[in-house]
Amino acid sequence: MTDLSPSDAAKDAAARAAVALVRDGMRVGLGTGSTAVFMVHRLAERVRAEGLRLRLAATSRATCDLARQLGLTIEDLDDIGWLDLTIDGADEIDPDLNLIKGGGGAHLREKITAAASDRMVVIADPGKVVETLGAFHLPVEVIPFGWQTTRAHVQRLLESLDLTQRPMLTRQRDGRDFVTDEGNMILDLSLEAIPDCRALSNGLSAIPGVVEHGLFLGMCDLALIGSPDGGVIELARPEVVE
Ligand code: 5RP
């Protein structure tokens, strides 16, 4: 990979640092998105060069296809059962390592995979680090049946939490409703800022028809933030004091 843009060089630096955490024999979840693409390439290089024996699960069809093209063997998460490590990208990362994910529409499989992992490591460029989550649209995956009713429930929830937002958009691709790997739709919430992520997360999860949303709270253990010069900053999750 030569002639990378500054942003891609940062993503690649983060990806390399994350792949350096992989050890022979590990069970690893592979994330989705442009940063994860660098990670899959770097992992494939290590597997080829070092003969690492890994068990790998992918968080999307796109990642599965890329990994297989690069010679990696992908298994079903259920056949592996539990993962040592998942490496994934993010759309926003706050100081507590809470995340917004789902810019690529894969947050359902990504959350299932991260939740089945001892450790979730996020890789990103510096533009993803924020003080407060919410400037990036928050994806909410809903099943097609009754989706407008589900959307009305979401709207009422936002009002009850005093979360003003621009119109809630149904994600589109190529002039049609975007369809996730699970055959669902995505509502993108433009909230600007989310002062109480836990309240919103709990509220969304309680709505029938909402399959999963893109708030990943308390799931990320380490964020590796690459920079265009190849450096990497490590952000660890602050200790939670009971
Ligand atoms: C896909 C995701 C991605 O990890 C997230 O959108 C970041 O993508 P990118 O690395 O392309 O910025 O959550 O559902």
Side-chain angles (χ1 to χ4, degrees):
M1 286 182 233
T2 52
D3 296 332
L4 296 179
S5 69
S7 159
D8 281 350
K11 292 176 186 186
D12 190 35
R16 282 171 182 267
V19 166
L21 301 173
V22 175
R23 299 277 172 265
D24 191 35
M26 272 190 171
R27 300 157 297 174
V28 184
L30 307 180
T32 296
S34 59
T35 318
V37 165
F38 285 102
M39 178 270 295
V40 175
H41 276 274
R42 294 303 178 193
L43 187 63
E45 284 172 7
R46 272 199 68 196
V47 168
R48 275 196 300 272
E50 300 171 38
L52 295 180
R53 289 156 305 153
L54 305 174
R55 299 193 70 185
L56 303 172
T59 55
S60 63
R61 284 195 201 138
T63 295
C64 182
D65 290 348
L66 173 66
R68 286 182 172 151
Q69 278 164 24
L70 295 172
L72 297 172
T73 301
I74 299 293
E75 298 178 68
D76 281 351
L77 177 62
D78 281 346
D79 290 334
I80 304 177
W82 195 260
L83 304 173
D84 299 291
L85 170 68
T86 285
I87 306 171
D88 202 347
D91 300 301
E92 287 187 342
I93 306 164
D94 81 3
D96 294 325
L97 301 196
N98 293 321
L99 314 171
I100 286 183
K101 286 185 50 56
H107 57 281
L108 171 58
R109 291 190 185 189
E110 290 171 336
K111 200 179 275 189
I112 292 170
T113 305
S117 306
D118 283 341
R119 202 167 177 222
M120 179 191 196
V121 173
V122 161
I123 49 176
D125 58 274
K128 306 292 183 58
V129 179
V130 299
E131 270 306 309
T132 305
L133 298 181
F136 192 88
H137 54 256
L138 177 66
V140 179
E141 182 162 342
V142 299
I143 66 165
F145 176 82
W147 73 270
Q148 297 188 54
T149 309
T150 304
R151 184 175 62 178
H153 280 298
V154 173
Q155 187 65 49
R156 272 198 290 276
L157 170 70
L158 298 179
E159 285 162 16
S160 75
L161 295 174
D162 282 332
L163 283 167
T164 51
Q165 65 137 8
R166 293 188 290 277
M168 197 187 309
L169 298 175
T170 309
R171 191 176 297 183
Q172 303 286 299
R173 180 179 283 173
D174 303 328
R176 294 168 178 228
D177 287 341
F178 176 88
V179 180
T180 69
D181 281 352
E182 299 301 324
N184 296 317
M185 305 164 64
I186 291 188
L187 304 176
D188 281 317
L189 314 189
S190 304
L191 301 168
E192 292 171 8
I194 308 172
D196 188 344
C197 291
R198 182 55 67 186
L200 180 57
S201 171
N202 290 345
L204 288 171
S205 297
I207 296 174
V210 169
V211 184
E212 196 49 82
H213 57 76
L215 283 170
F216 284 50
L217 308 182
M219 299 187 82
C220 173
D221 301 288
L222 175 71
L224 299 171
I225 311 300
S227 63
D229 67 5
V232 177
I233 293 172
E234 293 189 13
L235 305 177
R237 183 146 51 107
E239 290 292 321
V240 179
V241 181
E242 295 289 329

